[in-house]
Amino acid sequence: MTPDLFEFEEREQQQAWREQLCPGAVVLHGFAVQDEAAVFAALLGVTSEAPFRHLITPGGFRMSVAMLNCGAYGWVSDRNGYRYDAIDPESGKPWPRMPDVFLKLARDAAASGEFEGFEPDACLINRYEPGARLSLHQDKDERGLDAPIVSVSLGLPAVFLWGGLRREDKSVRVPLMHGDVMVWGGPARLRYHGVLPLKEGNHHLTGGYRINLTFRKAT
Ligand code: SIN
Ligand code: FE2
């Protein structure tokens, strides 16, 4: 079997696979694959308007993941803390608008995860280079804690850490491949999560990177 055919068959299988991690959290394997070209083109549009940057944590560390936002609000971190801001502090201008194809993907995935009516107003775009990681954290800076988080994985695979409601709870390792979409909300909304250091590789769309789109209701 040629590698291409193998990859194709693997994807076909992934498309049907829905993995319930716990009440309120599901991985929709391969959910975004069929829209990959449109999503990637839209991503290039956003990145042509504003650059990725490595934010500084309140403790003074430079994050290994490079970030950018699109939508009405963007997540930012600096020496003063974490917040959502309608203005990109680097340019002094609003964030690039959220592309329609992003919005539709987020709404459709949320509905498949049994969260109907999701209207995200923020999309954090994370770019991982080899070695980049995200330590265990909760997504709790949003006012809309009733709304789920929709997280779209593109490009190189990663190992996602899925923890509990307390930092010290044991976490499970969830491999996330290109096109996988995770949806968590309700009883799972404040679960700790993170990403292990990215391994090197080459992906046909994203090259040496993993890109993650995280949709939230910030306000
Ligand atoms: C995040 O927690 O903000 C990103 C998760 C991911 O990159 O999969
Ligand atoms: Fe997060």
Side-chain angles (χ1 to χ4, degrees):
M1 201 182 335
T2 67
D4 282 349
L5 187 56
F6 179 69
E7 195 186 335
F8 180 71
E9 287 192 353
E10 212 173 37
R11 261 191 216 164
E12 294 274 275
Q13 287 167 7
Q14 281 185 357
Q15 226 134 18
W17 185 29
R18 185 194 152 91
E19 184 183 7
Q20 190 84 40
L21 292 179
C22 65
V26 69
V27 187
L28 308 168
H29 288 278
F31 191 88
V33 168
Q34 67 177 27
D35 296 324
E36 63 173 21
V39 169
F40 192 68
L43 175 68
L44 291 181
V46 171
T47 59
S48 73
E49 284 182 55
F52 280 106
R53 73 288 306 265
H54 292 270
L55 298 175
I56 304 297
T57 66
F61 294 102
R62 175 186 185 266
M63 295 184 77
S64 60
V65 179
M67 296 179 173
L68 171 64
N69 294 279
C70 64
Y73 295 92
W75 185 85
V76 287
S77 172
D78 59 24
R79 295 297 302 223
N80 299 319
Y82 308 124
R83 67 181 187 279
Y84 279 95
D85 203 320
I87 299 296
D88 175 351
E90 221 152 273
S91 65
K93 294 192 301 194
W95 300 100
R97 65 177 285 277
M98 197 184 303
D100 293 341
V101 60
F102 280 21
L103 195 55
K104 181 172 186 314
L105 178 60
R107 285 178 180 148
D108 291 352
S112 293
E114 280 150 29
F115 296 96
E116 295 288 343
F118 181 45
E119 287 300 326
D121 56 7
C123 172
L124 173 64
I125 308 172
N126 293 316
R127 189 187 69 186
Y128 295 75
E129 60 188 23
R133 60 189 284 270
L134 205 58
S135 52
L136 272 186
H137 66 278
Q138 292 171 296
D139 290 0
K140 59 175 185 193
D141 302 323
E142 300 74 30
R143 293 227 180 89
L145 288 179
D146 293 346
I149 300 281
V150 172
S151 167
V152 178
S153 292
L154 300 170
L156 292 181
V159 178
F160 190 75
L161 291 177
W162 182 243
L165 293 171
R166 296 172 310 168
R167 185 180 288 280
E168 60 273 21
D169 289 344
K170 213 167 172 299
S171 51
V172 295
R173 294 177 174 211
V174 183
L176 290 180
M177 315 294 286
H178 172 69
D180 290 351
V181 180
M182 260 197 79
V183 180
W184 69 90
R189 178 62 180 74
L190 287 175
R191 283 215 180 214
Y192 278 85
H193 57 280
V195 179
L196 290 185
L198 193 80
K199 293 227 167 71
E200 278 190 32
N202 186 36
H203 186 270
H204 68 278
L205 275 181
T206 64
Y209 295 108
R210 169 178 187 256
I211 302 282
N212 171 260
L213 312 174
T214 315
F215 296 91
R216 298 102 186 264
K217 179 100 183 79
T219 58

